[in-house]
Structures are given as structure tokens and as C-alpha cells.
Amino acid sequence: MKINKNFSKLPVAGAAMAVIAAIGCIIYGNVYAQYADWAVVLTMLLGGCLLAVYALIPGCVTEWFSLLGTLCTAWGMGLFLVNSYNVWADVWDNLNMYGRLSGDFNFFSSEGGPIPVIVLFILALISVILGVISCFKSRKEAAA
């Protein structure tokens, strides 16, 4: 197995963002147990690993790893968005699923508010965008 010295920077950056998002999902799931979903974490980690292998190891088989890594990360991002519906319902629809901390309306009423969810979603989205761009660039163009 030969490691590419002139590796592509886009899939490596996408892999880093996917791993950071997965670590953030682990932390968020440990703080708020209802959002602990190992399928999200595993698909984001798998996507990050596939993107890193695509960038670092040349070969005809690894040509598809950019697409597979992007799809895995996108699947985890979508699953995370579906799992975070309670946060969006509490914040924007004023549904009171998990109780109020104070008064009639509190922006941060549901499990830490929308800010951690938005940050994790943006990290995963950046990873997916970088993966999609690396799918359409050849390895020689991406390394330059």
C-alpha cells in the first residue's frame, strides 16, 4: 500500500470536519441523552475515514471512496437533523416538549437551544460540500 505524498487537501479537510462533527455529536449526546444516536456518530466517522483514505491512498478502488464518504456523512447529517426535531419544535413552534425554564417563551428552552445543533449541522454540511467538490475534481487537480 502506497501513501500519496501530494494528497488532496479538500477531502482531508472534509474528513477532519466529519470527525469533528462526530465528536461534537458524542459530546451533545452525552450532555442530552435523548440525542445520543450512535448511527449518526458511526456514519460521520465512516464518512471521514473514507474521505481520508481517498485522499491518502491512490488506487482504482479508492476512486469511489470520495463519493462513499460524502454519502455516509450526508446520511449522518440528515439523521442528526431528524433527531433534532424536538429542538426546532420547542424553539420555533413554541410547543413546550421538554418544559420551560422561565416565562412564556425562552429561546433556549429545549436541551441547550438551537445553537449546538446549528454548529454541528454546519460542520457536517461543510464536510459534505468539501466531499462533493472532491468528487468532481481529479486527484491531480485537487492536490495542486
Side-chain angles (χ1 to χ4, degrees):
M1 189 177 314
K2 181 180 165 187
I3 293 191
N4 189 5
K5 302 276 190 218
N6 297 326
F7 59 86
S8 307
K9 292 165 186 63
L10 289 175
V12 170
M17 289 294 162
V19 170
I20 291 169
I23 292 169
C25 289
I26 291 170
I27 294 169
Y28 191 61
N30 283 333
V31 172
Y32 303 109
Q34 69 186 16
Y35 300 113
D37 190 356
W38 288 104
V40 172
V41 173
L42 290 176
T43 54
M44 286 191 185
L45 286 176
L46 180 63
C49 289
L50 287 170
L51 284 170
V53 168
Y54 166 76
L56 297 174
I57 300 174
C60 63
V61 174
T62 60
E63 287 292 326
W64 291 96
F65 283 13
S66 178
L67 178 64
L68 293 174
T70 302
L71 290 174
C72 285
T73 306
W75 180 273
M77 179 183 70
L79 188 57
F80 179 75
L81 185 66
V82 169
N83 290 343
S84 67
Y85 172 74
N86 299 337
V87 173
W88 302 116
D90 279 354
V91 171
W92 301 115
D93 295 336
N94 204 14
L95 284 180
N96 193 7
M97 286 187 172
Y98 294 103
R100 302 262 181 238
L101 296 176
S102 63
D104 289 335
F105 181 75
N106 185 1
F107 188 71
F108 298 103
S109 62
S110 178
E111 305 297 311
I115 303 300
V117 176
I118 290 171
V119 168
L120 292 173
F121 185 77
I122 288 174
L123 286 172
L125 183 64
I126 290 170
S127 174
V128 169
I129 289 171
L130 292 173
V132 167
I133 292 170
S134 69
C135 286
F136 290 102
K137 284 188 149 192
S138 70
R139 289 187 198 207
K140 292 177 185 174
E141 291 174 356

